[in-house]
Amino acid sequence: MRLKSPETMRQIIQFVDSFFDDHLRTPSMREIERGTGLSRQTASSYLRAMAEQNMLEYDGDGIITAHIRQRVSAQTIALPIIGHVAAGTLTAAEEMREGFVEVPFSMLGGSDYFALRVYGESMIRAGIYDGDLVIVRKTHRATVGQIVVAIDDEGQTTLKRLAHDGQRYYLHPENAAFDDIYPNELRIQGVAELMFRDLKS
């Protein structure tokens, strides 16, 4: 393995820490590439080497530096950002993690949570826009009117409001330009409880 530049290592750590302070989440590889000028392959190689040297924690998904660990105190929890969910037509969810987002414990209940990046415009009347982060409580049950992350029998996922027409459950978009969705088999993966928007973007 080639020797790694200490200056580049410092650059990566400084960028990750600064990004976390500004956005309260760790940057994705795309954001590291854009922010440091390093290619994703180079940045990933450096992160793995730095993890081996115990300069930070990196498992191929999230990055935790000493600064981030200090910021994420007993008053907050770092939730994994697990890929994307469509607020549009049904689409396959990405399984790659973007990183972590810091959320105060006081805003959460006692359940398990995860975060999803939203794309699409089918939920804009509910105040959920393309690029927002939605905090989801893991559950397989939901009541009519709740905004849910749902997966159908083909493994497609979407973010919609759960509705019922008197005979069956369906997924209702909060945008008149989109149609209701009646999947053959509706599986609830979680209920959306919080939403974060990066106003700096």
Side-chain angles (χ1 to χ4, degrees), residues 63-118:
I63 307 164
I64 300 178
T65 65
H67 174 76
I68 292 174
R69 184 167 294 284
Q70 185 176 11
R71 281 289 310 271
V72 183
S73 65
Q75 301 303 314
T76 63
I77 184 171
L79 298 179
I81 303 172
I82 305 176
H84 297 68
V85 64
T89 55
L90 289 169
T91 185
E94 296 182 15
E95 295 183 355
M96 281 294 294
R97 293 187 182 183
E98 288 187 24
F100 296 88
V101 60
E102 181 183 6
V103 180
F105 271 122
S106 60
M107 299 178 71
L108 305 176
S111 303
D112 290 334
Y113 290 83
F114 60 93
L116 285 173
R117 178 76 63 190
V118 174

Side-chain angles (χ1 to χ4, degrees), residues 40-69:
R40 295 187 203 184
Q41 183 177 0
T42 299
S44 177
S45 176
Y46 264 87
L47 287 168
R48 294 185 186 281
M50 293 160 73
E52 290 177 2
Q53 297 179 38
N54 295 317
M55 297 175 65
L56 49 72
E57 296 178 35
Y58 176 66
D59 60 2
D61 295 322
I63 307 164
I64 300 178
T65 65
H67 174 76
I68 292 174
R69 184 167 294 284

